[in-house]
Amino acid sequence: MARGSDRTRLDAPRGLSGMRARGAQPSRDRFGRFTEWVARAMGTPAFLAILTVFCAAWLAWNTLMPEPLRFDSAANGFTALTLMLSLQASYAAPLILLAQNRQDDRDRVQIEQDRQRAERNLADTEYLAREIVALRMAMTELAGEVMTKETLRQELKALLEQLDERGDGSAASS
């Protein structure tokens, strides 16, 4: 009954064997996680401090070192430093925007889940309110019936007493 080479294993999910043959595929979302990491890193005081130290070191090196060791000229307004900072900013802005788009997508999903949860809570609350009203109505009816029975008993007792009085009065006159 065994099928030989294409025998399926019951202790492994389907498709797992196909993944082994192809190898592990990189996550499609790896770049998105990278953009969020960049956005988080650039928004820290440590990044600003490191960037400030880097610029100060660049300026100090190209100002204080002997002329042959300098690689960026103060006479040209530190063109290389300006280009490096512009390059960093030109990559940082789109990466931050991509990270914000991912956050917006997550926020939309969260808002939708919150809306659905609120609808369920509202439906549950309305159901419970209807049940409480039904219980109150049932208790009112039950209390009304008890009162009616009690009133009926009192009326019957009063009628019995009246009959007894008539019976005693008619028996005494005969």
Side-chain angles (χ1 to χ4, degrees):
M1 289 205 184
R3 293 185 194 164
S5 64
D6 63 330
R7 188 173 145 189
T8 59
R9 294 178 50 192
L10 297 177
D11 62 341
R14 287 185 181 181
L16 190 59
S17 59
M19 278 180 52
R20 281 191 212 129
R22 287 181 281 167
Q25 293 194 359
S27 172
R28 287 186 247 163
D29 207 30
R30 187 175 290 167
F31 186 72
R33 287 193 309 266
F34 171 73
T35 62
E36 289 177 343
W37 176 81
V38 169
R40 273 193 302 273
M42 287 186 166
T44 62
F47 175 79
L48 293 175
I50 291 169
L51 188 60
T52 302
V53 168
F54 174 77
C55 290
W58 184 290
L59 293 172
W61 182 275
N62 288 301
T63 305
L64 303 175
M65 294 304 281
E67 191 70 35
L69 295 177
R70 294 179 190 173
F71 52 87
D72 197 8
S73 171
N76 292 334
F78 297 106
T79 307
L81 178 62
T82 304
L83 288 174
M84 284 188 60
L85 292 175
S86 295
L87 181 67
Q88 182 266 335
S90 68
Y91 276 99
L95 290 175
I96 291 170
L97 288 174
L98 286 171
Q100 286 176 342
N101 288 341
R102 284 175 49 88
Q103 184 62 43
D104 288 343
D105 292 342
R106 277 196 302 272
D107 289 346
R108 267 189 233 103
V109 168
Q110 185 64 40
I111 287 169
E112 179 62 24
Q113 290 173 347
D114 289 346
R115 186 190 62 74
Q116 290 172 353
R117 192 174 305 118
E119 285 179 357
R120 283 192 306 268
N121 287 341
L122 181 62
D124 290 346
T125 303
E126 289 174 349
Y127 170 76
L128 289 173
R130 285 191 303 272
E131 289 297 314
I132 289 172
V133 167
L135 286 172
R136 282 185 179 170
M137 290 173 63
M139 292 298 291
T140 302
E141 288 176 13
L142 183 61
E145 288 176 11
V146 169
M147 292 295 288
T148 304
K149 287 178 183 177
E150 188 64 33
T151 305
L152 184 60
R153 284 187 187 133
Q154 288 175 356
E155 291 293 323
L156 286 174
K157 281 182 185 178
L159 285 172
L160 282 173
E161 288 174 2
Q162 286 177 2
L163 284 175
D164 284 342
E165 288 174 4
R166 284 188 190 169
D168 290 339
S170 63
S173 62
S174 338

